[in-house]
Amino acid sequence: RGFTVKGLVTYSETSDSGQGAPPRGSLEYTQASVYLQHNPSGWFAHGAWGHIDQDVNPLNNPASDTWYIKSGIRLHPTSIGATIPYGEYLHATDSAFVVNDGGTPGNSSDDIGRVLRGSEATFWGVGVVQEIDAAAMSIWLRYRNHEVDVPGVETKDMYTVVFGGFINF
């Protein structure tokens, strides 16, 4: 097998306000994803798109689209497991969610949240995953540069470094 190709499309809908739906409305989410790997070389790419929309929207929240791509290569420099360096990029439109305090500090029940039309969120990052086959374990180190653009608001980039791991059992 020269290539591995996988894809997925999902759709979900809720009218439960506890799950984010607007009052007397619904929240719909559609997602599509594709994964491609060249097996002999270990190169892979993963792309995804998500679309969230609200029906009966009293706050006039816009629909939001998110695009994501990740690419890397599975290397085998040691016998402990694959080493996987990668790069990633995400861009989302109409995606900044802000919450305004409804007047009672410490009480979120009167807070009002809305999505800001014209806002954009982007991140790019690089990382490396080390698989440890004998322990069914993966550990990783990741750097990301996050940027949120909101019309009429000066924002600053945020940078994150994350180290983590998990064990499959």
Side-chain angles (χ1 to χ4, degrees):
R1 293 176 25 164
F3 284 91
T4 298
V5 179
K6 298 178 181 182
L8 177 69
V9 176
T10 64
Y11 172 82
S12 62
E13 182 175 349
T14 183
S15 57
D16 182 350
S17 62
Q19 298 293 318
R24 298 171 305 285
S26 64
L27 183 67
E28 300 174 1
Y29 185 67
T30 306
Q31 179 177 340
S33 178
V34 65
Y35 176 83
L36 172 67
Q37 180 174 310
H38 182 250
N39 295 322
S41 69
W43 170 82
F44 67 90
H46 171 231
W49 164 80
H51 178 80
I52 192 165
D53 199 359
Q54 297 181 44
D55 182 22
V56 187
N57 187 338
L59 296 173
N60 195 28
N61 285 336
S64 179
D65 287 293
T66 301
W67 297 90
Y68 176 76
I69 187 164
K70 180 178 187 176
S71 183
I73 190 164
R74 296 178 65 80
L75 304 171
H76 296 278
T78 69
S79 62
I80 66 170
T83 301
I84 309 162
Y86 66 89
E88 62 182 343
Y89 178 80
L90 177 138
H91 180 79
T93 60
D94 295 326
S95 56
F97 184 77
V98 296
V99 177
N100 295 324
D101 188 348
T104 312
N107 180 356
S108 62
S109 67
D110 62 354
D111 294 352
I112 299 172
R114 63 186 173 94
V115 177
L116 298 178
R117 188 175 307 279
S119 62
E120 295 184 354
T122 303
F123 74 70
W124 64 267
V126 294
V128 63
V129 177
Q130 179 61 57
E131 295 179 345
I132 304 170
D133 294 341
M137 180 177 184
S138 295
I139 57 173
W140 63 87
L141 179 63
R142 177 186 76 207
Y143 167 85
R144 281 186 181 166
N145 174 302
H146 305 264
E147 181 180 320
V148 176
D149 294 318
V150 176
V153 176
E154 183 178 335
T155 61
K156 293 186 178 186
D157 291 1
M158 180 177 81
Y159 311 93
T160 58
V161 176
V162 175
F163 175 76
F166 69 87
I167 299 174
N168 292 310
F169 59 93

